[in-house]
Amino acid sequence: MIAIACDHAAVELKREIEAMLTEMGEEYRDFGTDTTDSCDYPIFAARAAKAVADGSCEKGIVICGTGIGISIAANKVHGIRCALCNDPLSAQLTRQHNNANMLAMGARIIGVELAKCIVKTFLSTPFEGGRHQRRVDLITKLEQEQVIE
Ligand code: RB5
């Protein structure tokens, strides 16, 4: 199950991504927003991020105008590693190296086809583990306010 959310700047792109997920046979849960009326992206970031953090969704996708605000907000939820990726290589590497569990994109930065390619890459690339696991574990410790050096 994929959690997906956006603000008013990204409703159209979110619908395109949802159509692609359906074509791919991927189930998703939409946490809003549903209209282009101005809204506050942290609210929607939090709803999707909490569903990923509590395990009810395996991964999440959040989209705002730049992808910046909604990624910052999602990353405030413990357990979330949300990567802003406006290119497929970043999406591949953040899965391989950071085990990112949420993807953020900017609807005012990239086009629909590029966004679809980024989502496909993000969802299909496994975490490499190994030395990267140690680093991800350090991020978790930092989140838990443990001293890491
Ligand atoms: C909304 O106008 C815009 O600020 C938001 O979509 C996002 O780009 C924030 O980071």
Side-chain angles (χ1 to χ4, degrees), residues 83-121:
L84 170 56
C85 301
N86 286 323
D87 67 276
L89 181 59
S90 296
Q92 178 195 319
L93 290 171
T94 198
R95 286 289 311 127
Q96 290 175 333
H97 292 193
N98 316 122
N99 200 14
N101 50 13
M102 292 189 75
L103 166 69
M105 297 182 291
R108 292 175 178 157
I109 308 295
I110 56 172
V112 175
E113 294 308 316
L114 182 54
K116 286 181 179 175
C117 179
I118 291 165
V119 169
K120 279 186 185 162
T121 302

Side-chain angles (χ1 to χ4, degrees), residues 7-9 41 64-70 108:
D7 75 357
H8 55 279
Y41 56 80
C64 67
T66 59
I68 297 171
I70 209 159
R108 292 175 178 157

Side-chain angles (χ1 to χ4, degrees), residues 17-32:
I17 298 298
E18 288 177 343
M20 185 190 74
L21 292 175
T22 300
E23 272 174 31
M24 290 167 67
E26 288 277 2
E27 286 189 312
Y28 63 83
R29 192 164 158 211
D30 187 334
F31 289 88

Side-chain angles (χ1 to χ4, degrees), residues 44-63:
F44 302 96
R47 288 177 187 167
K50 283 177 182 171
V52 175
D54 72 18
S56 52
C57 291
E58 183 198 334
K59 288 196 181 84
I61 300 168
V62 284
I63 322 171

